[in-house]
Amino acid sequence: MYGKQSYLHLGENIDVDKYIITEFYVESDKSILEVAEALAAESSIGTWTDLSTMDADIMTRLGARIFYANEEEHIVKIAYPLGLFEAENIPQLLSDVAGNVFGMNEIINLRVRDIIFPKAYLRTFDGPAFGISGIRKLLGIPERPLLGTIIKPKVGLDADRHASVAFDAWVGGVQVVKDDENLSNQSFNPFEERVVKTLAMLRKAEDITGEKKMYVPNISAQASDMLKRAEFVKAQGGIAVMMDILTVGFAGVQYIRDQNTGLVLHGHRAMHGAFTHSTKHGIAMLPIAKTARICGIDQLHTGTIIGKMHGGEEEVSAINNAMRCEWGNLKKTMPIASGGVHPGLLQKMIELIGNDVIINLGGGIHGHPDGTKSGAIAASQAVDASIAKIDLNEYAKDHKELQRAIDKWGVYKDESLLVPKNNSLITYTYGLTEGLM
Ligand code: RUB
């Protein structure tokens, strides 16, 4: 029997090139050190008891190392030797650092706040094929924030109506039209028919506007169907597809990325609230977003700060920084701000989020009193006003579509919305690992 195994290495100087580091928030009836030992064992090589099969070599090479534990803050930081991980295998990574640990009896609450990856691990992934610069190049828009829309109603339109609503949005001024997260291949709007008809409308809109447009059909399904659908989109001349990255799973995302289809990969994050909503339990959006970038998502939903969905300024900014920063050889992922956005919010949103973003308006375009085309024109006018730094109300005086949108939804003015919402318990600087991703 290899005596009692301890994973405690408090204060140890961790070589950040050799470990994947995970920061946990932990609540337990046990002391922080006891629960940290249990976490480290279960997420690396051990179990609930000492083992006759364990030896010093396994322990040294592959044992997790608890290098920080703070009872008051409920924070534990654990370094996992790179040797524990298979290259290019996100399911295995998550089964380690975010797997069984969530089911342990001693846990009252547990939250993965961040995961920090060494360069050697990152190098095993291709990351985004296009990234921010590739998307901008495809659309011929070097600097301006990009505008997108989600066809609404979420589902229910047939393929003809879907395509004609998309056309109205494109000619009104948006660059990107996407399917909603719950539209796939239902009988009322079959995938192939929708793609053919919507891409025909895209070409028409491109001819009329002289601008390049993007249609993002949702291919989320079983992996084999996703591939067939992606190939179909490519064959029809499409340039992008969307996956619901969490319901599809990272293996599904990796499977499609590995095919090198030459399509921009758009990541919707439906279901993320199940992991990210609580301040104390689950997995923060930051490590989920980093994982999506590693897996090759070119454009990812990351929050609006002032829209309808959860996510305050501190959290969304941390995530967007992680998408846009230099990170090994990985291209940068374009953040998408989406959910409850209308033209009256755009100026503030661009001020908060910056230009490297796709801002999606669903209801905020199709709910315009004069219809989709006017909604898209209004959104485009709001972006123009933001770039020219002209107050939206002022600009609306001689831009009637914007004025009509403002009459319906108003202009952002509630500074209290900027107070970080309650799920921003995220740190992105670290004692020993400060400045690392
Ligand atoms: C947007 C919408 C999107 C959400 C998802 O519609 O339903 O699916 O943006 O949220 P609308 P998130 O513009 O009508 O609100 O981007 O935060 O994941």
Side-chain angles (χ1 to χ4, degrees):
M1 187 78 62
Y2 174 73
K4 175 130 184 58
Q5 295 120 39
S6 173
Y7 299 83
L8 279 184
H9 294 262
L10 291 178
E12 186 173 287
N13 208 354
I14 295 295
D15 181 346
V16 294
D17 290 330
K18 297 196 172 136
Y19 294 85
I20 288 181
I21 295 169
T22 303
E23 179 176 318
F24 295 98
Y25 171 91
V26 192
E27 280 179 21
S28 170
D29 287 335
K30 298 202 166 154
S31 78
I32 191 113
L33 293 185
E34 256 181 294
V35 73
E37 289 269 23
L39 277 178
E42 191 62 41
S43 57
S44 64
I45 55 174
T47 186
W48 56 275
T49 184
D50 51 1
L51 298 166
S52 63
T53 45
M54 184 66 78
D55 61 42
D57 174 54
I58 298 177
M59 196 67 193
T60 315
R61 271 188 303 113
L62 300 175
R65 303 170 97 80
I66 304 155
F67 65 95
Y68 181 91
N70 184 316
E71 186 108 49
E72 240 164 64
E73 295 173 348
H74 299 273
I75 298 296
V76 172
K77 298 182 191 181
I78 301 181
Y80 296 89
L82 258 190
L84 268 179
F85 303 96
E86 181 186 348
E88 244 191 312
N89 188 339
I90 293 295
Q92 188 256 340
L93 167 86
L94 294 176
S95 295
D96 266 339
V97 306
N100 274 4
V101 287
F102 281 104
M104 288 162 47
N105 271 335
E106 45 271 84
I107 296 296
I108 296 171
N109 279 304
L110 178 69
R111 181 167 167 86
V112 174
R113 288 156 48 111
D114 201 358
I115 305 175
I116 294 170
F117 300 94
K119 298 236 161 45
Y121 185 74
L122 288 183
R123 271 197 291 275
T124 70
F125 296 86
D126 293 329
F130 292 86
I132 294 179
S133 59
I135 293 163
R136 286 195 171 285
K137 202 164 159 205
L138 276 176
L139 293 172
I141 299 183
E143 276 171 18
R144 190 181 160 93
L146 301 172
L147 271 181
T149 190
I150 317 104
I151 302 294
K152 301 283 173 178
K154 284 174 97 76
V155 296
L157 298 183
D158 63 19
D160 285 308
R161 287 194 67 202
H162 184 100
S164 83
V165 172
F167 175 78
D168 288 346
W170 278 314
V171 293
V174 309
Q175 290 82 42
V176 179
V177 170
K178 65 176 277 291
D179 293 351
D180 225 324
E181 72 280 354
N182 54 351
L183 181 62
S184 55
N185 186 29
Q186 291 97 323
S187 56
F188 54 80
N189 192 343
F191 183 84
E192 294 192 357
E193 184 189 350
R194 176 168 81 252
V195 168
V196 169
K197 290 180 168 166
T198 308
L199 286 176
M201 285 302 187
L202 176 143
R203 287 186 274 275
K204 202 171 147 191
E206 284 182 339
D207 286 346
I208 291 171
T209 59
E211 295 163 2
K212 187 79 187 151
K213 305 289 184 183
M214 178 187 281
Y215 171 47
V216 192
N218 181 11
I219 61 167
S220 303
Q222 300 90 315
S224 53
D225 285 341
M226 286 202 292
L227 180 57
K228 281 185 210 140
R229 291 176 199 180
E231 284 169 345
F232 183 79
V233 171
K234 183 76 181 168
Q236 296 299 314
I239 59 171
V241 290
M242 178 174 106
M243 281 175 281
D244 298 334
I245 59 167
L246 294 172
T247 56
V248 152
F250 285 112
V253 173
Q254 291 191 274
Y255 176 67
I256 294 300
R257 174 63 186 95
D258 285 349
Q259 313 298 320
N260 284 316
T261 57
L263 295 163
V264 170
L265 299 183
H266 177 124
H268 195 287
R269 56 179 183 161
M271 198 169 81
H272 78 93
F275 316 126
T276 62
H277 191 86
S278 166
T279 56
K280 296 179 168 183
H281 192 79
I283 306 175
M285 187 60 209
L286 179 64
I288 290 174
K290 284 176 166 184
T291 307
R293 180 171 169 190
I294 291 172
C295 289
I297 290 296
D298 292 288
Q299 48 193 50
L300 177 71
H301 289 245
T302 59
T304 57
I305 304 176
I306 54 174
K308 78 176 180 190
M309 308 297 272
H310 211 66
E313 186 178 9
E314 186 190 353
E315 177 182 8
V316 174
S317 302
I319 298 164
N320 287 349
N321 290 342
M323 298 300 93
R324 293 165 174 157
C325 69
E326 299 296 335
W327 199 25
N329 292 328
L330 301 182
K331 293 202 172 93
K332 298 173 182 176
T333 293
M334 178 76 95
I336 300 170
S338 178
V341 187
H342 59 75
L345 295 183
L346 286 181
Q347 195 155 36
K348 187 69 192 178
M349 199 167 285
I350 292 167
E351 187 189 314
L352 289 167
I353 294 181
N355 278 5
D356 275 335
V357 63
I358 300 173
I359 303 183
N360 272 342
L361 304 84
I365 280 183
H366 311 292
H368 190 282
D370 304 316
T372 293
K373 185 174 171 191
S374 296
I377 294 172
S380 207
Q381 290 167 344
V383 174
D384 293 339
S386 308
I387 290 168
K389 298 200 180 340
I390 301 170
D391 176 75
L392 275 191
N393 281 309
E394 207 43 49
Y395 200 78
K397 283 182 184 157
D398 50 5
H399 292 87
K400 70 173 189 314
E401 292 84 2
L402 180 58
Q403 186 61 61
R404 293 274 285 158
I406 289 175
D407 290 344
K408 180 166 180 178
W409 294 302
V411 169
Y412 171 83
K413 56 180 177 308
D414 187 0
E415 290 294 328
S416 70
L417 286 172
L418 291 180
V419 175
K421 291 177 196 166
N422 211 17
N423 66 339
S424 55
L425 241 183
I426 281 178
T427 48
Y428 42 100
T429 52
Y430 296 83
L432 288 172
T433 53
E434 192 157 351
L436 291 174
M437 275 275 293

